[in-house]
Amino acid sequence: MIVNHAPKTEEVFDKAYVDIATCRSVQVWPVPEDLENWYEIDFDPTFKYMGKIYDPNTDTWGAVVPTIEAHNAKMVKARQKGYVLTDKLFMEWQFDQTDEAKDNWLEAVARVKTDFPFK
């Protein structure tokens, strides 16, 4: 019986690939087959690539500035969660039919809209 006692070596990556279309998607392995659609850069395993955008003209990384559409999409999801809480107040108003119950519900809806504004 042969036993291999060779030490395990950690795989080291020297290059990473950044998607030309978005300048955000970073791939280390496997090497993309369509290299014409990727920038090849030196890979730094200590760098936090998440949430960054690559500028090929300066070979630097910067923070991603959210687009209005991305911000609004995030606000829609937050509002949906917030409106779950207002549903109870709406049902109370439907049951009670009082001005106080209606005001409580409308104030809660207005608070959700204020807390999660669209641009």
Side-chain angles (χ1 to χ4, degrees):
M1 178 171 170
I2 299 174
V3 177
N4 184 355
H5 292 286
K8 291 184 178 181
T9 58
E10 204 172 295
E11 200 165 0
V12 179
F13 298 100
D14 295 330
K15 298 292 178 187
Y17 303 89
V18 182
D19 180 30
I20 288 175
T22 65
C23 289
R24 287 192 262 189
S25 299
V26 178
Q27 182 170 320
V28 178
W29 185 88
V31 174
E33 292 180 15
D34 57 339
L35 285 175
E36 67 275 3
N37 296 318
W38 298 83
Y39 294 114
E40 183 178 272
I41 62 168
D42 292 328
F43 178 66
D44 178 358
T46 63
F47 184 73
K48 305 291 185 213
Y49 292 94
M50 184 78 106
K52 304 281 191 318
I53 190 164
Y54 178 68
D55 182 347
N57 297 320
T58 61
D59 193 30
T60 58
W61 291 87
V64 174
V65 178
T67 63
I68 290 174
E69 293 81 12
H71 169 81
N72 288 345
K74 186 176 178 181
M75 292 299 105
V76 165
K77 288 182 182 182
R79 282 185 178 196
Q80 287 171 338
K81 289 179 182 178
Y83 287 142
V84 168
L85 303 175
T86 67
D87 288 348
K88 178 183 176 194
L89 295 173
F90 176 76
M91 295 306 292
E92 287 178 12
W93 169 52
Q94 291 296 300
F95 180 76
D96 294 343
Q97 291 294 308
T98 64
D99 289 339
E100 181 181 355
K102 180 180 179 182
D103 291 343
N104 289 340
W105 167 62
L106 291 175
E107 287 172 15
V109 170
R111 195 168 32 256
V112 169
K113 291 179 179 181
T114 301
D115 290 348
F116 306 108
F118 291 130
K119 287 187 177 180

